[in-house]
Amino acid sequence: MRIQFTKMQGAGNDFVVLDETRGRLGLTPAHYRYLGDRHFGVGADQILTVRPSPAEGIDFEYVIHNADGNEVEQCGNGSRCFARFVRDQGLTTKDRIRVKTMKGVIEPLLTPDGRVTVDMGPPVFEPAEIPFDATGLSLLPMGSWGYWPLAGVDPAQGAHLLIAAVSMGNPHAVTLVADVDAAPVGAWGPHVQADARFPQGVNVGFLQVVSRSEVRLRVYERGVGETLACGTGACAAVVAGIRLGLLDARADVQTRGGVLTIAWAGLGQSVFMTGPATTVFRGEIDLPE
Ligand SMILES: N[C@H](CCC[C@H](N)C(=O)O)C(=O)O
């Protein structure tokens, strides 16, 4: 089956975007894995699918698959590219777009400077809704909130890895490090992801606080591995930093692929993410049956 696609990236987190506004393509998880494969397919961290409005007051539906073929709840960098795509393809003339995702409605806004600001909705801290099994874990005094000890990732050290568990629709575990460049992302990321306390897996963020308004972040993403940037990961990291008393209400997040700006006014409020969205190329590919 030959299909058309658009390759896009937001701060280096890259996507294959598919248009199903005129009918479903009927793809399988194996097809999504093929599209994401950097050697045998197109290559991408996630595959984003655009579908028509599911209801009154909503403009589009947005479906996200990780490169491993699994559907997931949310993708921040992808939401900015989604907005850029539907405008560039003439599927809407709006600047502010209401988009239904698996876990609620988000609202990207295309801004005159070419970036996109997205209302990502409020963060979720209730362990059962993340989901994170906190049974038997006691809260740590830091910030007197959601900062948990996880099984020691380096038995030689014997130290606990301390994480803040947050959901942006998808699950995140954020840990503080002194220097992201030296952080053992490739070792600790899979270790935390394999922890049975995250029954649906987790995206693992390594957060270095530079000042009260600037951080550096690396994320080992669920279903992909380390990406150059993770939008929901940037949201989760800044929210954790604010709740731990380390950040003000707005911070620039330096990722390996670019800068994202995250703002959060506090409990019950939405997180706002601003960043780039770029079309790289368009193409078509013959999918294996
Ligand atoms: N790997 C994530 C989905 C993509 C998130 C990331 N690419 C973003 O920009 O938020 C998960 O399994 O929850």
Side-chain angles (χ1 to χ4, degrees), residues 222-288:
R222 177 178 62 172
V224 186
E226 181 174 5
T227 57
L228 294 183
C230 178
T232 51
C235 294
V238 170
V239 163
I242 290 169
R243 290 211 70 183
L244 290 169
L246 304 172
L247 297 177
D248 293 333
R250 181 188 182 86
D252 285 338
V253 180
Q254 305 285 345
T255 75
R256 291 190 154 183
V259 179
L260 301 176
T261 299
I262 308 297
W264 183 53
L267 286 178
Q269 304 291 319
S270 282
V271 184
F272 289 85
M273 169 194 62
T274 299
T278 304
T279 298
V280 182
F281 65 89
R282 291 190 177 84
E284 53 185 35
I285 184 169
D286 291 322
L287 292 178

Side-chain angles (χ1 to χ4, degrees), residues 96-161:
R96 186 184 299 277
I97 302 162
R98 285 180 57 75
V99 187
K100 180 184 177 311
T101 67
M102 190 197 284
K103 277 283 185 77
V105 176
I106 57 172
E107 215 169 86
L109 171 68
L110 292 149
T111 56
D113 65 0
R115 295 191 300 171
V116 185
T117 293
V118 188
D119 175 343
M120 294 297 293
V124 169
F125 303 99
E126 175 50 47
E129 293 176 35
I130 292 175
F132 169 60
D133 177 8
T135 309
L137 291 181
S138 55
L139 274 179
L140 291 162
M142 269 189 91
S144 71
W145 156 78
Y147 202 54
W148 312 87
L150 268 194
V153 284
D154 182 343
Q157 283 181 4
H160 280 310
L161 180 66

